[in-house]
Amino acid sequence: MKVIAIANQKGGCGKTTTAVALSAALGHNGVRVLLIDLDPQAHATAAAGYNSAKVSKSIYNVMTKVDNRSCELGDAVLIMEEKFDLVPSCGLLSVIEQEFKDSPHAVSKLHNAISSNLAAYDYVIIDCPPSLGFLTFNALRAANSVIIPIDMGYFSLMGVNKVLDMVELLDSKTGHKPYVKALATMYDRRTTFSEEIIKSLKERFKENLFSTRIGVNVDLRKASRDGISVLRYDMSSSGARDYLSLADEIIESQGEEPFEELESLRIPREEIAHSLDEEEVEVKPSPTRMRTFFNRLSRISRRPVFGKDSVFETLTKKR
Ligand SMILES: Nc1ncnc2c1ncn2[C@@H]1O[C@H](COP(=O)(O)OP(=O)(O)O)[C@@H](O)[C@H]1O
Ligand SMILES: [Mg+2]
């Protein structure tokens, strides 16, 4: 069995979308898949068509130490019309860290629960919350590999180094070191900015960057709105195709995972800063920004904003 955690501290970089669509795509290949929703916001649960307020057992019950609430992993599994099973999440999961604050072994809680169900699945996919606390730590401890989704932006790149810090901390505390791989998400081949980020990711991650890139595709949003996987929503959509290609890559790479030193995967600050510059160039000038810009230029150049010899006249003059 292979356990894959999907983690990045940044929200909105495609963790949940990847967790749900990848589970469906792996299942489409005939392997047995379990998706565990480890985010108290329960987005993966909703994207799989369940109301987290109405599920009777969730990953909280699997992990809690409150006896009369606790259950086995197998008891929380929902069998769905999809080609994967789901252990849902619920809001209560957000208090779990409090329950374990005095227990040093709590980091292996999820790992132990999954290990007791080894025979049932070929793949377990864990959707992590957008924070690097107790829950993500448990997911990394349980995982053989970690996928870091990186949407083409600055904060997502920063998230990479934070996940690597956490993997190192885990290694020093438990001796467990999952394999780390980056996945480009929300890739837009029309922008040079996406290309720049891909270039820097390729240099940094080499074979630890999936060759599959997940393009921007509105069907991925529509599918989660409808509570079904993108494969069921529209098998011919580019979102479905991208995640099927990712599943192929994962199945093919089984067993051959060269371990890169984490240090070499770190993204240097200058590269992150460079991508920030690029990102700012792409920001559309709002009227307020323009006004501030003109006022500033007018102050510096000691010229009026409008009229004769003004900043406006200079900037709009045809050359
Ligand atoms: N490849 C994509 N193309 C278009 N929209 C996407 C794509 N991936 C994710 N989204 C949308 O972006 C938003 C954030 O994605 P999500 O997977 O929930 O991120 P996270 O779990 O990291 O917070 C959601 O509305 C989702 O539908
Ligand atoms: Mg999410």
Side-chain angles (χ1 to χ4, degrees):
M1 184 174 68
K2 217 174 156 203
V3 182
I4 304 175
I6 319 284
N8 188 337
Q9 179 209 29
K10 177 175 180 282
C13 62
K15 289 183 290 297
T16 301
T17 304
T18 298
V20 176
L22 175 61
S23 297
L26 284 167
H28 183 76
N29 279 279
V31 294
R32 297 163 306 166
V33 185
L34 177 67
L35 168 62
I36 298 180
D37 186 354
L38 200 62
D39 184 352
Q41 297 178 92
H43 290 162
T45 303
Y50 285 91
N51 179 346
S52 61
K54 293 194 176 147
V55 296
S56 61
K57 299 240 164 30
S58 75
I59 192 66
Y60 168 78
N61 302 90
V62 178
M63 292 179 76
T64 182
K65 63 178 186 186
V66 180
D67 273 347
N68 61 359
R69 288 179 177 170
S70 125
C71 76
E72 294 293 316
L73 183 77
D75 296 332
V77 171
L78 297 170
I79 312 291
M80 307 189 291
E81 278 175 45
E82 299 281 348
K83 292 191 167 122
F84 61 93
D85 297 343
L86 171 77
V87 174
S89 176
C90 70
L92 202 53
L93 187 62
S94 57
V95 303
I96 202 139
E97 189 164 2
Q98 289 302 314
E99 284 185 21
F100 285 104
K101 64 181 188 311
D102 302 319
S103 321
H105 298 303
V107 64
S108 297
K109 205 61 204 168
L110 185 63
H111 170 70
N112 296 341
I114 293 175
S115 307
S116 62
N117 263 261
L118 273 180
Y121 295 97
D122 301 306
Y123 287 89
V124 176
I125 308 294
I126 308 171
D127 184 27
C128 293
S131 61
L132 299 180
F134 173 81
L135 289 168
T136 300
F137 216 53
N138 254 270
L140 298 184
R141 170 68 192 95
N144 313 106
S145 58
V146 184
I147 296 179
I148 310 181
I150 302 174
D151 63 87
M152 305 288 100
Y154 167 64
F155 294 113
S156 226
L157 285 178
M158 289 214 322
V160 174
N161 288 357
K162 299 238 169 73
V163 176
L164 296 178
D165 286 344
M166 215 169 178
V167 171
E168 263 166 23
L169 182 66
L170 179 72
D171 182 26
S172 70
K173 284 200 167 202
T174 67
H176 176 73
K177 206 172 181 181
Y179 172 74
V180 176
K181 225 164 158 177
L183 171 70
T185 60
M186 299 189 217
Y187 171 75
D188 185 350
R189 45 185 68 74
R190 291 166 310 181
T191 67
T192 50
F193 181 61
S194 273
E195 279 309 324
E196 288 270 336
I197 297 244
I198 291 281
K199 195 164 150 256
S200 122
L201 288 178
K202 265 191 192 155
E203 278 165 16
R204 183 75 20 207
F205 281 85
K206 301 187 180 75
E207 63 273 29
N208 290 51
L209 172 70
F210 283 104
S211 16
T212 302
R213 298 167 196 176
I214 309 298
V216 174
N217 178 222
V218 72
D219 292 327
L220 287 162
R221 287 173 190 255
K222 291 182 183 165
S224 52
R225 174 201 64 195
D226 292 355
I228 55 175
S229 71
V230 70
L231 272 72
R232 276 182 71 206
Y233 182 80
D234 182 358
M235 193 62 169
S236 64
S237 63
S238 68
R241 277 187 274 121
D242 287 348
Y243 279 104
L244 281 166
S245 153
L246 178 66
D248 284 347
E249 234 187 286
I250 289 175
I251 292 172
E252 279 164 21
S253 74
Q254 184 92 28
E256 38 170 286
E257 293 182 336
F259 195 84
E260 278 283 330
E261 273 313 309
L262 293 180
E263 204 44 48
S264 68
L265 302 182
R266 270 179 207 289
I267 300 179
R269 289 198 71 80
E270 316 81 72
E271 265 174 49
I272 296 178
H274 174 66
S275 77
L276 178 62
D277 294 344
E278 294 281 337
E279 204 167 39
E280 287 214 317
V281 169
E282 290 223 328
V283 172
K284 292 214 173 63
S286 68
T288 330
R289 265 171 186 263
M290 290 300 281
R291 212 174 307 127
T292 318
F293 176 70
F294 273 78
N295 286 339
R296 205 178 283 164
L297 271 188
S298 147
R299 256 200 322 276
I300 297 169
S301 61
R302 293 170 202 266
R303 280 198 263 163
V305 176
F306 296 109
K308 196 172 173 327
D309 283 338
S310 68
V311 171
F312 185 78
E313 196 187 71
T314 317
L315 285 178
T316 53
K317 196 160 57 188
K318 290 222 167 62
R319 270 172 247 258

